[in-house]
Amino acid sequence: QVQLVESGGGLVQAGGSLRLSCAASGRTFTFSSYAMGWFRRAPGKEREFVAVITRSGSSTNYADSVRGRFTISRDNAKNTVYLQMNSLKTEDTADYYCAASPRLRAAVAGFSANYYDYWGQGTQVTVSS
């Protein structure tokens, strides 16, 4: 069993920054064997892909809506993936979820939620105008 716990959400003004973290754990879980993704769900909307990072961290991919503003990274020694969010906009308001995929190899395919076996409970991000 794998547990993913997000943190770092909160209320921020437009133009501000937040850094989300997702700590992974599990008795037989090897963090470096999983690609990690971030998704979000805004109120009244469908869940959407935000960013993904491959197992080694060598490759990333982003949704067009966040590219250039958000940065995904990981620390395999700490079993943690991060999402640095800069220049936040009101439309970034959502619940943010991290997810782990044992099968995903190419970051370009990471937009598909079907690859991910494990999901966190989410952390809320609210961007005020």
Side-chain angles (χ1 to χ4, degrees):
Q1 190 70 14
V2 175
Q3 292 82 42
L4 303 175
V5 180
E6 302 93 337
S7 62
L11 174 64
V12 63
Q13 285 191 325
S17 298
L18 280 175
R19 188 195 197 201
L20 305 184
S21 299
C22 172
S25 63
R27 195 167 58 171
T28 60
F29 176 67
T30 303
F31 184 68
S32 59
S33 296
Y34 288 76
M36 299 298 295
W38 285 97
F39 289 75
R40 67 186 182 186
R41 177 176 286 150
K45 294 188 177 182
E46 296 293 316
R47 180 178 59 192
E48 65 174 357
F49 165 74
V50 176
V52 62
I53 188 166
T54 52
R55 293 175 296 170
S56 66
S58 61
S59 183
T60 59
N61 192 26
Y62 298 90
D64 289 343
S65 58
V66 307
R67 186 173 286 113
R69 300 188 297 121
F70 290 12
T71 302
I72 188 171
S73 62
R74 66 189 296 160
D75 186 336
N76 285 349
K78 295 183 178 180
N79 286 6
T80 302
V81 61
Y82 305 97
L83 186 68
Q84 178 67 44
M85 305 186 296
N86 298 330
S87 302
L88 282 160
K89 305 176 181 180
T90 55
E91 51 263 45
D92 294 319
T93 294
D95 291 327
Y96 283 73
Y97 302 87
C98 69
S101 171
R103 299 183 303 279
L104 184 66
R105 296 295 183 263
V108 68
F111 64 91
S112 173
N114 293 333
Y115 277 105
Y116 299 88
D117 290 355
Y118 304 102
W119 295 81
Q121 293 299 307
T123 186
Q124 187 174 56
V125 172
T126 303
V127 184
S128 64
S129 58

